Amino acid sequence: MKLSRDWLGDYIDLTDLSDDELATRFTEIGHAVESVEQHADDTVFDLEITTNRVDAMSHLGMARELAAALGREVRIDVSKSSAPITGSGGVKVRIDAPETCRRFSATVIRGVTIKASPEIVRRRLEALGLRSINNVVDVTNYVMLGIGHPLHAYDLAKLADATLIIRRGSANEAIRSLDGETRKIDTDTVVIADGKRPVGLGGIIGGAESEIGDTTRDLVLECAWFEPTFIRRTARRLGIKTDASYRFERRVDPNDTVHAIELAASLILEYAGGTREELLDVVAKPTEPERLRLRTERLHAASGGAIGIAYALELFRRLGFSATTAPDGIDVIVPTYRGDIHEEMDLIEEVLRFFGLNKVPAELPRVTTGDARREPEDVAEDEIRTILAGCGLAEAINYSFIHPEFNPIFSDERALAITNALTENLGAMRLSLLPGLLETVVFNRSYGTRDGALFEVGRTYHRAGDGVRERRRAAIVMFGSIGAHWGDAKRPVDFFDIKGMVEQIAQKMHVPLTFDVSDREWLKKGKRSVARAGEREVATLGFLAADVLSRFGIKGEVAAAELDIEALLASQTDWKMAPVARFPGVPMVLGLMHARELEYQKLIDTIHAMDIPHLHEVGLRDRFVPDGEENLVKTTLGMWYQAFDRSLTQDEVAQWQQQLASRLAESLPVKLL
């Protein structure tokens, strides 16, 4: 934001300060100086002003800041003309959309002469980067830069029915704006219209058909307050940014319209002549100032005891606030031009800013743990991250927004669409974590990474009546080859790798799982499974189907799994520590041949149901499909027998093992090897 030193001098006495001293004061009160330029006899400061301080984006606003910092008075603008005011002339103003415009002030000036502006106006505008147009338009820009509130002037002869109506636009309307572009209007656009058509986009830009020109003799000068959200949304949709929209988006003073009109009208009468009519001031919704209390105790605590309440009282009075003493501090009425102050802490920050944060004594903050308790879901998410990182997987973090075409691949639900998506590729909320992980696989492969194992812990988003329900999930993808050690020969990822990841998580969280064949179409038939805890589905896993991989442009196979963290938590069982056995265990193996259709889980469940004495563990040792025998599988199971009160003999273990093998052959269609 550029500000003229000469112009600031109209509002506050700065004669005893050099440019360097003034730049230092700007920085000390929080407005960093980005550059300093010389324009003839004037100095222009380019300041970095935070977006919430629209009041400081004018010469009057910055003069208030300097007055508070320097302990000086501010000179407020007064009308420079004593020209008489005649009647209203029949011009009508109406606000039909009060939700978009709280206040609209206007006045008519007749008999003006359009010509070049005085030299001081042209020089000041050009120093700040604005081109001089004519004496009327220049005054509207001059007042905006002077006191911070945008204005606009219309040629009265070009307004149908001598009427200005503030309303929402219609879907079939358009307007040719002052920049020569024809812009489409929608129902969220704030329109200033005459009796027949739009003549301006409220808070953004005026219309070309009602602009001030060399033939203008009578004009309507208006100053309004528009709801910032409407201006921001319309400016973004139309791709237009003006000095007016920049300020209206950030909330100018709702109660400053009359002051702006009076100042601008007096300057137009001085520079262009004419006679002025009565002020029209339509207030759809009054704006009252904030009333806050600053407590002495809070100010002392925030400043380390360095600032007294008397300093705050004097500071707020210098800033133009109404401040009075109260039993436990001061009561402050915040003027409406300070739209950034809403609570006590804002007042404290204001005091600290002018006092100087470098003067506040440093001390360690008072920290208390309180009764902070983490949600079980948050603890579970961190535990899963630790487990998977310990298994050698790398964590990925992806957007919750995905391409709308990806959701139907993994879910039959109707996804939540994003109405203001930044791009088409981010147009829907995800129903699964897998699309993001698969795009990460594509990204890694594009940089030459052929082998990898990734996981993500996050949330998916689902419709729930009129609202949204978040579900906590974890997902894993494994692709290419893996090796347990850098010296080991690598092998392709297989089904049992991804199954082992799911089992690791379930075991660490004390959730007993059973596995069954899955019917999910996005997984490859014959290589897909579902993990359950009782009747509750906990995870889906397997190799991705070829058509899914082709949708993402992935060559080769990818193993994937997605877990429901909430289902995992709901399935946790009670557990307790057991003593370590003092006596050695005995390992045994059992070789079987069976049809491919016989599920591994069926083998394990059958063995566990036999209740074999001292049999503690059963697991897969090897699995082999003979050449030319695609429908047969050779499976080797490993068993572990162990007692806690004695050492088992080889004979009794062999007897139990033989019993197990015989009963298994009787129960299932298997051949013992």
Side-chain angles (χ1 to χ4, degrees):
M1 178 70 195
K2 291 184 176 182
L3 295 172
S4 158
R5 178 190 175 111
D6 180 55
W7 203 337
L8 283 170
D10 289 354
Y11 298 99
I12 184 172
D13 182 11
L14 302 173
T15 54
D16 60 333
L17 293 176
S18 67
D19 289 344
D20 289 342
E21 290 172 328
L22 187 55
T24 299
R25 296 303 286 170
F26 282 139
T27 303
E28 287 175 345
I29 58 178
H31 308 297
V33 179
E34 294 186 333
S35 65
V36 180
E37 303 172 358
Q38 290 297 135
H39 287 267
D41 296 332
D42 195 8
T43 302
V44 175
F45 297 90
D46 192 355
L47 305 183
E48 181 183 343
I49 300 174
T50 56
T51 57
N52 66 326
R53 290 299 311 278
V54 67
D55 66 290
M57 297 176 187
S58 67
H59 290 81
L60 174 59
M62 191 54 67
R64 290 191 185 104
E65 295 277 289
L66 291 172
L70 301 171
R72 301 180 182 181
E73 295 296 324
V74 175
R75 297 190 287 264
I76 304 297
D77 299 87
V78 294
S79 297
K80 299 179 181 179
S81 173
S82 58
I85 297 177
T86 62
S88 64
V91 173
K92 299 178 286 295
V93 172
R94 191 172 79 235
I95 299 177
D96 287 352
E99 72 278 9
T100 68
C101 178
R102 292 189 186 181
R103 189 168 188 169
F104 194 94
S105 303
T107 191
V108 174
I109 301 178
R110 298 183 182 273
V112 298
T113 301
I114 304 300
K115 57 185 178 179
S117 296
E119 192 273 336
I120 185 174
V121 174
R122 297 198 309 271
R123 173 168 52 83
R124 285 182 172 180
L125 291 178
E126 290 168 0
L128 300 185
L130 289 183
R131 177 175 59 90
S132 175
I133 298 175
N134 58 53
N135 51 353
V136 172
V137 175
D138 287 355
V139 163
T140 62
N141 289 328
Y142 191 81
V143 172
M144 176 185 69
L145 296 176
I147 68 174
H149 205 127
L151 305 93
H152 189 68
Y154 303 86
D155 188 326
L156 180 58
K158 300 175 182 178
L159 295 180
D161 303 330
T163 300
L164 288 177
I165 304 169
I166 299 84
R167 59 174 173 81
R168 286 174 176 261
S170 300
N172 58 349
E173 285 185 315
I175 183 174
R176 187 166 67 88
S177 53
L178 287 172
D179 57 3
E181 297 288 332
T182 299
R183 304 183 184 278
K184 293 182 178 180
I185 295 172
D186 64 13
T187 55
D188 284 333
T189 303
V190 185
V191 166
I192 299 175
D194 61 13
K196 296 181 178 179
R197 68 197 189 286
V199 294
L201 299 176
I204 299 178
I205 194 170
E209 296 180 4
S210 60
E211 68 176 321
I212 301 296
D214 293 340
T215 60
T216 299
R217 292 295 173 264
D218 303 330
L219 61 88
V220 179
L221 183 66
E222 62 92 349
C223 184
W225 188 92
F226 299 102
E227 182 63 41
T229 53
F230 283 90
I231 307 306
R232 187 181 306 113
R233 194 159 48 226
T234 300
R236 181 179 300 173
R237 181 180 66 82
L238 296 176
I240 184 173
K241 183 177 180 181
T242 63
D243 290 323
S245 68
Y246 185 83
R247 287 165 172 80
F248 279 121
E249 286 179 20
R250 289 157 177 79
R251 190 195 176 278
V252 295
D253 183 5
N255 293 327
D256 202 29
T257 59
V258 172
H259 177 206
I261 285 285
E262 295 294 340
L263 176 60
S266 66
L267 291 174
I268 290 174
L269 292 173
E270 180 179 352
Y271 301 151
T275 58
R276 181 191 159 188
E277 297 180 355
E278 290 180 353
L279 175 73
L280 296 171
D281 186 26
V282 180
V283 181
K285 182 180 178 181
T287 303
E288 299 297 331
E290 297 267 8
R291 297 175 181 270
L292 304 173
R293 173 164 294 185
L294 174 57
R295 291 167 289 177
T296 304
E297 179 184 0
R298 291 291 301 276
L299 180 60
H300 284 175
S303 65
I307 306 177
I309 201 68
Y311 175 87
L313 180 66
E314 178 60 26
L315 172 68
F316 288 126
R317 287 174 174 171
R318 292 205 307 267
L319 282 169
F321 295 20
S322 174
T324 56
T325 58
D328 57 346
I330 57 175
D331 288 327
V332 180
I333 300 177
V334 183
T336 52
Y337 58 75
R338 287 302 301 271
D340 60 309
I341 295 179
H342 304 284
E343 57 187 31
E344 183 181 32
M345 186 51 67
D346 295 331
L347 296 177
I348 293 174
E349 290 177 359
E350 198 73 1
V351 175
L352 292 174
R353 180 166 68 92
F354 283 95
F355 181 79
L357 292 173
N358 58 318
K359 299 177 185 178
V360 175
E363 63 178 35
L364 291 173
R366 293 185 294 273
V367 178
T368 175
T369 58
D371 190 26
R373 298 176 185 175
R374 299 186 66 199
E375 294 295 328
E377 292 84 356
D378 297 326
V379 176
E381 286 181 348
D382 286 346
E383 187 175 355
I384 291 172
R385 288 188 179 98
T386 301
I387 293 168
L388 294 176
C391 290
L393 278 68
E395 183 175 8
I397 300 175
N398 294 298
Y399 287 122
S400 297
F401 317 128
I402 63 173
H403 197 293
E405 293 182 357
F406 291 159
N407 274 320
I409 299 175
F410 300 95
S411 176
D412 295 331
E413 291 184 50
R414 188 162 63 95
L416 292 157
I418 301 171
T419 56
N420 58 342
L422 296 176
T423 70
E424 184 183 275
N425 292 336
L426 303 174
M429 302 298 291
R430 64 187 180 188
L431 295 171
S432 167
L433 303 184
L434 289 175
L437 280 178
L438 292 176
E439 289 193 304
T440 305
V441 171
V442 173
F443 179 83
N444 278 269
R445 285 196 162 185
S446 69
Y447 280 85
T449 303
R450 293 299 171 191
D451 310 321
L454 306 170
F455 76 91
E456 181 174 6
V457 177
R459 302 184 186 187
T460 56
Y461 302 85
H462 309 262
R463 294 179 181 274
D466 295 332
V468 179
R469 179 173 181 258
E470 297 181 4
R471 298 180 64 179
R472 299 176 187 249
R473 306 265 187 156
I476 306 166
V477 292
M478 304 177 74
F479 58 97
S481 301
I482 62 172
H485 186 264
W486 63 269
D488 294 343
K490 289 190 174 183
R491 60 169 178 79
V493 171
D494 65 26
F495 175 82
F496 297 102
D497 292 317
I498 197 74
K499 180 172 180 280
M501 297 297 171
V502 175
E503 289 176 324
Q504 280 284 334
I505 294 172
Q507 182 181 357
K508 294 289 186 182
M509 297 182 69
H510 309 287
V511 176
L513 292 183
T514 58
F515 291 85
D516 198 356
V517 176
S518 172
D519 59 356
R520 302 296 170 85
E521 293 296 328
W522 50 272
L523 290 171
K524 183 178 293 187
K525 190 173 182 180
K527 292 186 177 181
R528 59 193 184 193
S529 180
V530 59
R532 293 190 177 92
E535 297 299 321
R536 189 178 289 114
E537 186 173 310
V538 171
T540 304
L541 61 149
F543 278 88
L544 292 174
D547 59 333
V548 174
L549 294 175
S550 65
R551 291 282 294 274
F552 288 88
I554 298 175
K555 295 181 180 179
E557 291 200 311
V558 175
E562 187 159 31
L563 298 92
D564 187 332
I565 295 177
E566 295 167 21
L568 272 171
L569 286 173
S571 304
Q572 284 183 310
T573 57
D574 294 333
W575 61 280
K576 60 182 179 180
M577 302 297 291
V580 177
R582 296 170 52 202
F583 303 96
V586 179
M588 298 294 286
V589 296
L590 178 63
L592 306 169
M593 181 181 291
H594 56 85
R596 194 183 189 95
E597 288 75 18
L598 182 59
E599 300 168 11
Y600 170 75
Q601 186 68 46
K602 184 69 172 178
L603 290 171
I604 299 303
D605 290 344
T606 302
I607 292 172
H608 283 313
M610 293 179 185
D611 196 20
I612 302 298
H614 301 297
L615 177 60
H616 283 278
E617 296 179 14
V618 181
L620 181 70
R621 290 286 298 274
D622 195 11
R623 183 175 182 273
F624 174 67
V625 178
D627 292 338
E629 300 287 348
E630 296 298 325
N631 292 324
L632 290 179
V633 176
K634 290 183 178 181
T635 300
T636 302
L637 300 176
M639 285 79 170
W640 184 260
Y641 293 87
Q642 190 171 32
F644 285 88
D645 57 348
R646 62 187 177 88
S647 295
L648 299 176
T649 67
Q650 193 69 37
D651 290 341
E652 59 185 344
V653 171
Q655 181 181 352
W656 293 328
Q657 181 74 354
Q658 180 61 41
Q659 179 185 355
L660 183 153
S662 301
R663 292 173 62 184
L664 188 62
E666 294 172 359
S667 303
L668 297 174
V670 299
K671 180 180 178 181
L672 302 177
L673 299 177

